[in-house]
Amino acid sequence: MGEFDLIARYFTRPVRRAVLGVGDDCALLAPTPGMQLAVSSDMLVEGRHFFAGTDARRLGHKALAVNLSDLAACGARPLAFTLALALPAVDAAWLQGFSAGLLALADAHGCELIGGDTTQGPLNICITVFGEVPAGQALLRSGARAGDDLYVSGTLGDARLALEALQGHTTLAPGVLATARQRLEAPTPRVALGQALRGVASSALDVSDGLLGDLGHILRASGVGACIHTTETIKLIAASAHPESAGGHFDTELLHQCTLAGGDDYELAFTAPVAQRAAVAAAAQASATPVTRIGCIEAAPGLRLIDAHGQPMPQRYASFDHFA
Ligand code: ADP
Ligand code: MG
């Protein structure tokens, strides 16, 4: 199978929303009048972002999910994406699984594959997504204000817990590992919540490198600080509620590490004025996405962790940084 057969077979489908899809030098999109285009790219590198031998279907899902998560963080509605793919060899079974996982998630969000590039090389997947948002309504990192509430969606820390187990640093019961691994390999982008938070949240981003590190971006962009109640964040790891984890044999330190600085969560962290509490609850309900209030924005710069006794906790959790 050659390059063009491969593209035709696995990555070409009838065009729906786009003006022109796969097959020409450029794809063509017609943005809705009055909307702004939201554009973001994320690359997944084998051995860096995922283990060699990761299930192809899940990898296809994740490659798009991490990109949709960026649209979610801006409150944008997904429109289309391009796929730049380097493959070591043509492996029909792998391509079948990968494209099935990728296109199933794309369909679930009405997000169309409109082009890309395919080359031979070490396995590397780079997706660029295009979304749209009403002009001036995108959720930004720079809008947090002192006094705002601080929230996070869904669960935190399970992806990191799975990674720790897969790397042999901790041992998990089989059911717990399966649950955690699902979060690592097939994250859920919070696309509906992001759109529901337009006009409600004052700032937002998606948690990809770990809550504390990513929240730092909001704090710097907004010129504020924050406090986080770790009694709330530690409860957000789904694995500890799993029946097979009975006895709570997780070490607290590991749970703090995973929830506060785990990485690969793809949840939304966002802020909203106290007056918007009911609106935040309504957005969570409308998008069927759980949301937890974990702290507040303060005028004093920096991040303060609060323990179960209301006392300051030392900040010793480092989020992920490719070059640190
Ligand atoms: P060009 O030479 O103009 O860069 P290519 O020959 O690389 O174009 O690609 C042919 C067509 O296939 C283009 O429309 C391109 O966008 C599309 N394409 C290439 N790789 C992929 C892919 N992995 N998924 C979807 N479309 C692709
Ligand atoms: Mg090309």
Side-chain angles (χ1 to χ4, degrees), residues 174-198:
V176 180
L177 176 60
T179 309
R181 193 169 181 167
Q182 169 83 23
R183 293 283 296 150
L184 175 67
E185 295 179 348
T188 304
R190 302 301 191 180
V191 175
L193 176 65
Q195 290 171 83
L197 287 172
R198 289 198 306 243

PDB file of all heavy atoms in Angstrom, residues 174-198:
ATOM      1  N   PRO A 174      -5.874  -5.161  39.702  1.00  0.00           N
ATOM      2  CA  PRO A 174      -6.154  -5.147  38.259  1.00  0.00           C
ATOM      3  C   PRO A 174      -7.285  -4.199  37.853  1.00  0.00           C
ATOM      4  O   PRO A 174      -7.154  -3.460  36.867  1.00  0.00           O
ATOM      5  CB  PRO A 174      -6.533  -6.602  37.965  1.00  0.00           C
ATOM      6  CG  PRO A 174      -5.911  -7.396  39.057  1.00  0.00           C
ATOM      7  CD  PRO A 174      -5.844  -6.517  40.265  1.00  0.00           C
ATOM      8  N   GLY A 175      -8.385  -4.193  38.613  1.00  0.00           N
ATOM      9  CA  GLY A 175      -9.517  -3.329  38.260  1.00  0.00           C
ATOM     10  C   GLY A 175      -9.162  -1.851  38.398  1.00  0.00           C
ATOM     11  O   GLY A 175      -9.599  -1.020  37.608  1.00  0.00           O
ATOM     12  N   VAL A 176      -8.368  -1.541  39.417  1.00  0.00           N
ATOM     13  CA  VAL A 176      -7.957  -0.159  39.647  1.00  0.00           C
ATOM     14  C   VAL A 176      -7.048   0.297  38.503  1.00  0.00           C
ATOM     15  O   VAL A 176      -7.210   1.388  37.953  1.00  0.00           O
ATOM     16  CB  VAL A 176      -7.222  -0.014  41.008  1.00  0.00           C
ATOM     17  CG1 VAL A 176      -6.789   1.423  41.230  1.00  0.00           C
ATOM     18  CG2 VAL A 176      -8.109  -0.494  42.140  1.00  0.00           C
ATOM     19  N   LEU A 177      -6.121  -0.568  38.122  1.00  0.00           N
ATOM     20  CA  LEU A 177      -5.214  -0.233  37.023  1.00  0.00           C
ATOM     21  C   LEU A 177      -5.999  -0.020  35.727  1.00  0.00           C
ATOM     22  O   LEU A 177      -5.745   0.932  34.995  1.00  0.00           O
ATOM     23  CB  LEU A 177      -4.145  -1.324  36.827  1.00  0.00           C
ATOM     24  CG  LEU A 177      -3.207  -1.086  35.631  1.00  0.00           C
ATOM     25  CD1 LEU A 177      -2.436   0.225  35.774  1.00  0.00           C
ATOM     26  CD2 LEU A 177      -2.224  -2.247  35.462  1.00  0.00           C
ATOM     27  N   ALA A 178      -6.981  -0.875  35.467  1.00  0.00           N
ATOM     28  CA  ALA A 178      -7.769  -0.750  34.231  1.00  0.00           C
ATOM     29  C   ALA A 178      -8.496   0.590  34.186  1.00  0.00           C
ATOM     30  O   ALA A 178      -8.509   1.273  33.160  1.00  0.00           O
ATOM     31  CB  ALA A 178      -8.752  -1.913  34.121  1.00  0.00           C
ATOM     32  N   THR A 179      -9.089   0.987  35.330  1.00  0.00           N
ATOM     33  CA  THR A 179      -9.793   2.279  35.394  1.00  0.00           C
ATOM     34  C   THR A 179      -8.829   3.436  35.176  1.00  0.00           C
ATOM     35  O   THR A 179      -9.108   4.359  34.401  1.00  0.00           O
ATOM     36  CB  THR A 179     -10.440   2.467  36.793  1.00  0.00           C
ATOM     37  OG1 THR A 179     -11.198   1.295  37.089  1.00  0.00           O
ATOM     38  CG2 THR A 179     -11.340   3.679  36.848  1.00  0.00           C
ATOM     39  N   ALA A 180      -7.695   3.366  35.868  1.00  0.00           N
ATOM     40  CA  ALA A 180      -6.727   4.456  35.774  1.00  0.00           C
ATOM     41  C   ALA A 180      -6.141   4.518  34.364  1.00  0.00           C
ATOM     42  O   ALA A 180      -5.957   5.585  33.796  1.00  0.00           O
ATOM     43  CB  ALA A 180      -5.628   4.268  36.816  1.00  0.00           C
ATOM     44  N   ARG A 181      -5.880   3.356  33.792  1.00  0.00           N
ATOM     45  CA  ARG A 181      -5.274   3.285  32.472  1.00  0.00           C
ATOM     46  C   ARG A 181      -6.189   3.830  31.376  1.00  0.00           C
ATOM     47  O   ARG A 181      -5.747   4.432  30.403  1.00  0.00           O
ATOM     48  CB  ARG A 181      -4.951   1.813  32.187  1.00  0.00           C
ATOM     49  CG  ARG A 181      -4.049   1.654  31.019  1.00  0.00           C
ATOM     50  CD  ARG A 181      -3.549   0.238  30.947  1.00  0.00           C
ATOM     51  NE  ARG A 181      -2.652   0.121  29.829  1.00  0.00           N
ATOM     52  CZ  ARG A 181      -1.856  -0.907  29.620  1.00  0.00           C
ATOM     53  NH1 ARG A 181      -1.843  -1.903  30.475  1.00  0.00           N
ATOM     54  NH2 ARG A 181      -1.083  -0.933  28.577  1.00  0.00           N
ATOM     55  N   GLN A 182      -7.469   3.632  31.581  1.00  0.00           N
ATOM     56  CA  GLN A 182      -8.466   4.182  30.665  1.00  0.00           C
ATOM     57  C   GLN A 182      -8.341   5.714  30.620  1.00  0.00           C
ATOM     58  O   GLN A 182      -8.433   6.330  29.563  1.00  0.00           O
ATOM     59  CB  GLN A 182      -9.857   3.756  31.160  1.00  0.00           C
ATOM     60  CG  GLN A 182     -11.031   4.437  30.499  1.00  0.00           C
ATOM     61  CD  GLN A 182     -11.402   3.788  29.170  1.00  0.00           C
ATOM     62  OE1 GLN A 182     -11.093   2.620  28.951  1.00  0.00           O
ATOM     63  NE2 GLN A 182     -12.028   4.544  28.291  1.00  0.00           N
ATOM     64  N   ARG A 183      -8.113   6.305  31.786  1.00  0.00           N
ATOM     65  CA  ARG A 183      -7.969   7.767  31.855  1.00  0.00           C
ATOM     66  C   ARG A 183      -6.668   8.222  31.198  1.00  0.00           C
ATOM     67  O   ARG A 183      -6.600   9.289  30.601  1.00  0.00           O
ATOM     68  CB  ARG A 183      -8.003   8.230  33.319  1.00  0.00           C
ATOM     69  CG  ARG A 183      -9.348   8.037  33.983  1.00  0.00           C
ATOM     70  CD  ARG A 183     -10.347   9.097  33.567  1.00  0.00           C
ATOM     71  NE  ARG A 183      -9.919  10.412  34.019  1.00  0.00           N
ATOM     72  CZ  ARG A 183     -10.192  11.543  33.390  1.00  0.00           C
ATOM     73  NH1 ARG A 183     -10.897  11.538  32.278  1.00  0.00           N
ATOM     74  NH2 ARG A 183      -9.756  12.698  33.853  1.00  0.00           N
ATOM     75  N   LEU A 184      -5.625   7.396  31.317  1.00  0.00           N
ATOM     76  CA  LEU A 184      -4.335   7.727  30.693  1.00  0.00           C
ATOM     77  C   LEU A 184      -4.421   7.621  29.175  1.00  0.00           C
ATOM     78  O   LEU A 184      -3.938   8.483  28.447  1.00  0.00           O
ATOM     79  CB  LEU A 184      -3.247   6.776  31.217  1.00  0.00           C
ATOM     80  CG  LEU A 184      -1.860   6.903  30.569  1.00  0.00           C
ATOM     81  CD1 LEU A 184      -1.218   8.249  30.907  1.00  0.00           C
ATOM     82  CD2 LEU A 184      -0.940   5.759  31.013  1.00  0.00           C
ATOM     83  N   GLU A 185      -5.030   6.555  28.701  1.00  0.00           N
ATOM     84  CA  GLU A 185      -4.974   6.245  27.270  1.00  0.00           C
ATOM     85  C   GLU A 185      -6.172   6.768  26.483  1.00  0.00           C
ATOM     86  O   GLU A 185      -6.085   6.879  25.264  1.00  0.00           O
ATOM     87  CB  GLU A 185      -4.829   4.726  27.083  1.00  0.00           C
ATOM     88  CG  GLU A 185      -3.503   4.218  27.636  1.00  0.00           C
ATOM     89  CD  GLU A 185      -3.313   2.720  27.487  1.00  0.00           C
ATOM     90  OE1 GLU A 185      -4.289   2.011  27.162  1.00  0.00           O
ATOM     91  OE2 GLU A 185      -2.184   2.261  27.715  1.00  0.00           O
ATOM     92  N   ALA A 186      -7.277   7.026  27.150  1.00  0.00           N
ATOM     93  CA  ALA A 186      -8.464   7.501  26.423  1.00  0.00           C
ATOM     94  C   ALA A 186      -9.161   8.618  27.200  1.00  0.00           C
ATOM     95  O   ALA A 186     -10.289   8.471  27.668  1.00  0.00           O
ATOM     96  CB  ALA A 186      -9.424   6.342  26.163  1.00  0.00           C
ATOM     97  N   PRO A 187      -8.469   9.758  27.353  1.00  0.00           N
ATOM     98  CA  PRO A 187      -9.051  10.868  28.125  1.00  0.00           C
ATOM     99  C   PRO A 187     -10.302  11.439  27.449  1.00  0.00           C
ATOM    100  O   PRO A 187     -10.494  11.283  26.250  1.00  0.00           O
ATOM    101  CB  PRO A 187      -7.930  11.907  28.155  1.00  0.00           C
ATOM    102  CG  PRO A 187      -7.068  11.600  26.989  1.00  0.00           C
ATOM    103  CD  PRO A 187      -7.168  10.118  26.772  1.00  0.00           C
ATOM    104  N   THR A 188     -11.140  12.095  28.256  1.00  0.00           N
ATOM    105  CA  THR A 188     -12.390  12.695  27.784  1.00  0.00           C
ATOM    106  C   THR A 188     -12.228  14.208  27.690  1.00  0.00           C
ATOM    107  O   THR A 188     -12.130  14.871  28.717  1.00  0.00           O
ATOM    108  CB  THR A 188     -13.515  12.394  28.791  1.00  0.00           C
ATOM    109  OG1 THR A 188     -13.603  10.977  28.955  1.00  0.00           O
ATOM    110  CG2 THR A 188     -14.850  12.940  28.323  1.00  0.00           C
ATOM    111  N   PRO A 189     -12.195  14.761  26.486  1.00  0.00           N
ATOM    112  CA  PRO A 189     -12.103  16.225  26.389  1.00  0.00           C
ATOM    113  C   PRO A 189     -13.425  16.856  26.811  1.00  0.00           C
ATOM    114  O   PRO A 189     -14.487  16.372  26.425  1.00  0.00           O
ATOM    115  CB  PRO A 189     -11.806  16.472  24.905  1.00  0.00           C
ATOM    116  CG  PRO A 189     -12.359  15.281  24.197  1.00  0.00           C
ATOM    117  CD  PRO A 189     -12.282  14.120  25.154  1.00  0.00           C
ATOM    118  N   ARG A 190     -13.355  17.917  27.621  1.00  0.00           N
ATOM    119  CA  ARG A 190     -14.572  18.508  28.216  1.00  0.00           C
ATOM    120  C   ARG A 190     -15.158  19.595  27.323  1.00  0.00           C
ATOM    121  O   ARG A 190     -15.340  20.750  27.737  1.00  0.00           O
ATOM    122  CB  ARG A 190     -14.238  19.048  29.603  1.00  0.00           C
ATOM    123  CG  ARG A 190     -13.671  17.998  30.552  1.00  0.00           C
ATOM    124  CD  ARG A 190     -14.636  16.851  30.746  1.00  0.00           C
ATOM    125  NE  ARG A 190     -14.204  15.968  31.851  1.00  0.00           N
ATOM    126  CZ  ARG A 190     -14.871  14.896  32.216  1.00  0.00           C
ATOM    127  NH1 ARG A 190     -15.977  14.544  31.575  1.00  0.00           N
ATOM    128  NH2 ARG A 190     -14.445  14.158  33.216  1.00  0.00           N
ATOM    129  N   VAL A 191     -15.462  19.202  26.105  1.00  0.00           N
ATOM    130  CA  VAL A 191     -15.877  20.145  25.067  1.00  0.00           C
ATOM    131  C   VAL A 191     -17.205  20.836  25.414  1.00  0.00           C
ATOM    132  O   VAL A 191     -17.337  22.052  25.280  1.00  0.00           O
ATOM    133  CB  VAL A 191     -15.981  19.405  23.716  1.00  0.00           C
ATOM    134  CG1 VAL A 191     -16.530  20.315  22.635  1.00  0.00           C
ATOM    135  CG2 VAL A 191     -14.600  18.870  23.309  1.00  0.00           C
ATOM    136  N   ALA A 192     -18.183  20.072  25.879  1.00  0.00           N
ATOM    137  CA  ALA A 192     -19.498  20.662  26.182  1.00  0.00           C
ATOM    138  C   ALA A 192     -19.389  21.612  27.375  1.00  0.00           C
ATOM    139  O   ALA A 192     -19.982  22.701  27.380  1.00  0.00           O
ATOM    140  CB  ALA A 192     -20.511  19.556  26.468  1.00  0.00           C
ATOM    141  N   LEU A 193     -18.615  21.227  28.386  1.00  0.00           N
ATOM    142  CA  LEU A 193     -18.460  22.105  29.555  1.00  0.00           C
ATOM    143  C   LEU A 193     -17.812  23.426  29.140  1.00  0.00           C
ATOM    144  O   LEU A 193     -18.265  24.501  29.542  1.00  0.00           O
ATOM    145  CB  LEU A 193     -17.616  21.412  30.637  1.00  0.00           C
ATOM    146  CG  LEU A 193     -17.322  22.283  31.866  1.00  0.00           C
ATOM    147  CD1 LEU A 193     -18.598  22.623  32.626  1.00  0.00           C
ATOM    148  CD2 LEU A 193     -16.309  21.611  32.792  1.00  0.00           C
ATOM    149  N   GLY A 194     -16.759  23.348  28.333  1.00  0.00           N
ATOM    150  CA  GLY A 194     -16.061  24.566  27.907  1.00  0.00           C
ATOM    151  C   GLY A 194     -17.024  25.556  27.269  1.00  0.00           C
ATOM    152  O   GLY A 194     -17.030  26.748  27.595  1.00  0.00           O
ATOM    153  N   GLN A 195     -17.874  25.060  26.389  1.00  0.00           N
ATOM    154  CA  GLN A 195     -18.820  25.967  25.714  1.00  0.00           C
ATOM    155  C   GLN A 195     -19.864  26.494  26.691  1.00  0.00           C
ATOM    156  O   GLN A 195     -20.284  27.650  26.608  1.00  0.00           O
ATOM    157  CB  GLN A 195     -19.495  25.247  24.546  1.00  0.00           C
ATOM    158  CG  GLN A 195     -18.520  24.992  23.401  1.00  0.00           C
ATOM    159  CD  GLN A 195     -19.121  24.084  22.337  1.00  0.00           C
ATOM    160  OE1 GLN A 195     -19.849  24.553  21.476  1.00  0.00           O
ATOM    161  NE2 GLN A 195     -18.824  22.803  22.414  1.00  0.00           N
ATOM    162  N   ALA A 196     -20.277  25.626  27.643  1.00  0.00           N
ATOM    163  CA  ALA A 196     -21.288  26.058  28.618  1.00  0.00           C
ATOM    164  C   ALA A 196     -20.732  27.119  29.572  1.00  0.00           C
ATOM    165  O   ALA A 196     -21.492  27.867  30.185  1.00  0.00           O
ATOM    166  CB  ALA A 196     -21.787  24.846  29.410  1.00  0.00           C
ATOM    167  N   LEU A 197     -19.394  27.180  29.685  1.00  0.00           N
ATOM    168  CA  LEU A 197     -18.789  28.142  30.613  1.00  0.00           C
ATOM    169  C   LEU A 197     -18.540  29.515  29.998  1.00  0.00           C
ATOM    170  O   LEU A 197     -18.108  30.441  30.685  1.00  0.00           O
ATOM    171  CB  LEU A 197     -17.453  27.581  31.149  1.00  0.00           C
ATOM    172  CG  LEU A 197     -17.573  26.451  32.162  1.00  0.00           C
ATOM    173  CD1 LEU A 197     -16.191  25.860  32.470  1.00  0.00           C
ATOM    174  CD2 LEU A 197     -18.248  26.918  33.451  1.00  0.00           C
ATOM    175  N   ARG A 198     -18.847  29.653  28.697  1.00  0.00           N
ATOM    176  CA  ARG A 198     -18.693  30.972  28.068  1.00  0.00           C
ATOM    177  C   ARG A 198     -19.628  31.957  28.757  1.00  0.00           C
ATOM    178  O   ARG A 198     -20.800  31.654  28.971  1.00  0.00           O
ATOM    179  CB  ARG A 198     -19.049  30.916  26.577  1.00  0.00           C
ATOM    180  CG  ARG A 198     -18.024  30.169  25.746  1.00  0.00           C
ATOM    181  CD  ARG A 198     -18.147  30.502  24.268  1.00  0.00           C
ATOM    182  NE  ARG A 198     -19.474  30.309  23.742  1.00  0.00           N
ATOM    183  CZ  ARG A 198     -19.800  29.425  22.774  1.00  0.00           C
ATOM    184  NH1 ARG A 198     -18.867  28.628  22.256  1.00  0.00           N
ATOM    185  NH2 ARG A 198     -21.035  29.347  22.338  1.00  0.00           N
TER     186      ARG A 198
END
